[in-house]
Each structure stands twice: as structure tokens, then as C-alpha cells.
Amino acid sequence: MYMDYIFSKPLRAFVKAAHVVVFCLATGASAATADESCGDLSNVDALVTLLENKNWDEIEITPRYAARIGQYVSLTQSSQFRRVLIRKKRSAQMRDVDRLMKEALIVANTKSVSDRSRLQSSLQNFKVVVQSTCGTGYGSAAGSARNAKEGASTFSEKSELAIERFASARSGYTLSLGVVLFLLFLVCLVVLARALLSTVYAYIYHRKTCRITASMMFGERTIFGYIVVLGRNGCRFEPEQPMERLAIPDLIASGNPRVEVFDVVLPSRLNGVTDDYFSLFFAEPMNMKVLNRIFGKSIITPVHRRKDIMKSNLDTLGVI
């Protein structure tokens, strides 16, 4: 029963925090994965195919051919692939991309290739950029197979393509999963550490849940009730009759309260008031021998209670 009480609130806090962490990180991981994806590379593929190593002396660059090059240059410049490069701030790779786009536009505008070696060098650098950014190969067997599968029409081809995409996406989540697990571990560690410190506090100051007949005096006014939580430094006093909150400021104005338990009178300071109890701090820590004697008068068996001291709310009552 006691252990259930000690860990019920920390566990609830941990579950809530874990839900928040998992939701935020999963959402962030999904967004990050989506942001880092190069998206549809068909336009990039088409531009590479048009500029691929050819015998330009034997190929006539027709207006239609030149228009297609210009079209795919424009589509590549506005593609998700280029936006990924901008987000990653890869300036050197952006220069390689822009260099090829510039040379491709010259080919489209002049309908000729003035420097074939430079064009092929720029094209090769462009392929390397796309491969390093998107994990896509050009001119290789893997690249050809990928391009072929993009046009898959049968169920088996589509299934194979889906499996490959899933395997690729799964590898991208490995780091995010590690971050999630690490942060969950930290959340668990913090929650358990707080629970441990609160429990240690309860044992150091002998703070226990109990039910002891007592009275609380404000000046000449006496309120009968029970001490429901007691420790060396203070207690919670539960009145027999519910208190009207509007009457509390006048009650407190008569002076600091005194708690009387059997033959022991404890000068106190009011910390806060709820609908159920008064939170009090003693003027001086209670003697352990006296404390244990009082615990012996409890109607229920006293059990240690972790630190959960309420925040003072006297300002909301108009007391201070």
C-alpha cells in the first residue's frame, strides 16, 4: 500500500512525460524525415539523361530538344532536392548544382555544346551531389534498377519497390529512435530521482500519514479536528467541520496558530489552506521522543509519506 502511494504519482508523471516526449519526437522525426527527403527525382533523372555523355558532334540539338533541357533545368531548380540542399546549407554542393544548371541553360539557349569535357565534369559532380544527398546512384546498375522500378506496374514489382523504400526509411529512423530512448531514459531517471529524494526526506524528518485527535487555536478560537500528516517540521490539520474560506482571514488575524496534541502545545506558522486541511510549520522542530509518542496515539497505523509540501496560498485568501 505504501509503495503504491510512493510511486503512483511519479509513475503517472512519467507516463504523461513519456507520452509527450514520444509524441513530440515522433512528430519531429517524421517531419525531419519528410524534410530531408528529396521527393520525386524524375525531373532530375530526365535532365541527367538529356545531358548524359553523348557524341554531340553527331547529335543535332533541335529547338524541341533545347526546350526540354530548359524545362528540366527549371523543374530541377524548383525541386525538393534543391530545397534540401539549401536547408542543409551545403554551399559547395550548391555551387556544383548551379554550375551544371548554368551550363545546361547555355546548351539550351545556344543549341550547342562549346566545351564537352567541362559539361561532363559538371554532370559528374552533379551526380555525386545527388547521390550523397538523396542516396541515389546515376549511371549505375542500382540507379537503372531504381528508375525502372519507378515505373513498376505489376503487383510483384510494386511490392518489391515498397519493401526497398521501407528498408531505406527504416534506416533513417535509427538515430531518431536512439534519441527517443535516451530522452525517455532521462525522464525516467529524473522521475525516479525525485521520488527517491522525496522518500528520503520522509524518513529523515519522520513525515508520516496518520490520524491523531488534536485541536488548533487562533487566539481564543479553538478548532477541533485531526492531524492527518505529521513530521518534525510541521503537520496538516483537518478540521472536524469544513471551514468557510471567507472567515479564514479574520481567523488568522487573531495571531499565529497553536496546535495542541494531548499535553503537547506546538506554536506554529500557517503555510496554506485548502478545502480539506490547514498546512502548518512548527516554530521549532519537534523532539523525536515527543513525536514518536504522538504517533503512538494515531487511530491508523502511521506510514511514511513522501515530500509533497503545498505551496503557500495565503495571498489568494487575502491574508498577506
Side-chain angles (χ1 to χ4, degrees):
M1 178 68 180
Y2 169 64
M3 295 304 293
D4 289 343
Y5 175 81
I6 290 295
F7 290 104
S8 59
K9 287 187 177 180
L11 284 176
R12 283 199 297 270
F14 169 71
V15 170
K16 289 180 181 178
H19 285 172
V20 171
V21 170
V22 170
F23 175 78
C24 292
L25 290 179
T27 302
S30 299
T33 303
D35 287 342
E36 297 304 315
S37 171
C38 291
D40 182 12
L41 292 173
S42 58
N43 294 323
V44 178
D45 289 340
L47 180 62
V48 170
T49 301
L50 290 174
L51 298 176
E52 196 66 74
N53 189 17
K54 302 179 185 300
N55 187 351
W56 294 104
D57 293 334
E58 299 178 2
I59 295 178
E60 178 185 0
I61 302 179
T62 64
R64 182 180 178 183
Y65 197 96
R68 289 178 62 198
I69 292 176
Q71 175 189 3
Y72 287 119
V73 167
S74 177
L75 292 173
T76 299
Q77 287 179 323
S78 61
S79 65
Q80 173 72 8
F81 154 67
R82 196 171 188 277
R83 289 194 289 271
V84 169
L85 281 180
I86 294 173
R87 274 195 299 274
K88 292 184 176 181
K89 299 181 180 179
R90 296 183 176 179
S91 56
Q93 294 182 326
M94 280 296 302
R95 286 195 294 270
D96 288 336
V97 172
D98 292 340
R99 187 179 298 115
L100 179 65
M101 298 300 104
K102 181 178 178 180
E103 293 183 11
L105 285 176
I106 292 174
V107 173
N109 293 331
T110 63
K111 300 180 182 62
S112 64
V113 179
S114 59
D115 191 332
R116 285 174 291 178
S117 62
R118 186 174 64 185
L119 175 62
Q120 293 307 312
S121 175
S122 297
L123 186 61
Q124 186 60 37
N125 291 338
F126 177 79
K127 293 177 184 179
V128 172
V129 171
V130 177
Q131 184 172 6
S132 63
T133 305
C134 308
T136 304
Y138 286 92
S140 63
S144 300
R146 184 190 65 80
N147 294 334
K149 287 180 181 178
E150 291 294 340
S153 57
T154 67
F155 177 78
S156 59
E157 289 174 333
K158 290 180 178 178
S159 299
E160 184 179 353
L161 179 59
I163 292 172
E164 288 187 4
R165 284 177 174 171
F166 171 76
S168 176
R170 184 179 61 180
S171 64
Y173 281 105
T174 302
L175 180 60
S176 297
L177 179 60
V179 172
V180 171
L181 293 177
F182 176 71
L183 290 181
L184 285 178
F185 169 76
L186 289 182
V187 171
C188 181
L189 190 63
V190 169
V191 171
L192 292 179
R194 290 189 62 181
L196 179 61
L197 290 175
S198 297
T199 304
V200 170
Y201 177 93
Y203 279 90
I204 291 176
Y205 293 98
H206 296 270
R207 191 169 189 267
K208 297 181 180 182
T209 299
C210 55
R211 193 166 185 83
I212 302 168
T213 302
S215 61
M216 182 172 59
M217 293 168 285
F218 287 92
E220 300 298 324
R221 175 76 181 275
T222 301
I223 302 173
F224 297 97
Y226 302 92
I227 292 177
V228 293
V229 177
L230 178 63
R232 291 194 64 197
N233 290 336
C235 70
R236 288 183 181 177
F237 180 85
E238 181 182 289
E240 283 185 340
Q241 302 296 327
M243 296 294 299
E244 291 291 337
R245 285 208 168 201
L246 293 177
I248 292 175
D250 294 334
L251 186 66
I252 299 174
S254 59
N256 284 330
R258 304 184 310 279
V259 178
E260 184 173 346
V261 191
F262 303 105
D263 59 343
V264 180
V265 178
L266 302 166
S268 307
R269 175 178 58 84
L270 186 64
N271 175 57
V273 182
T274 72
D275 293 335
D276 300 319
Y277 61 82
F278 289 84
S279 174
L280 302 154
F281 286 117
F282 300 141
E284 294 182 359
M286 195 185 308
N287 180 277
M288 279 301 304
K289 185 179 292 186
V290 174
L291 181 63
N292 288 329
R293 181 161 61 86
I294 293 175
F295 276 135
K297 304 294 184 178
S298 177
I299 299 172
I300 63 174
T301 302
V303 292
H304 283 92
R305 181 187 180 103
R306 70 183 185 89
K307 181 180 179 181
D308 57 347
I309 298 172
M310 70 172 292
K311 184 178 179 181
S312 177
N313 66 345
L314 298 184
D315 54 337
T316 64
L317 300 173
V319 177
I320 57 175

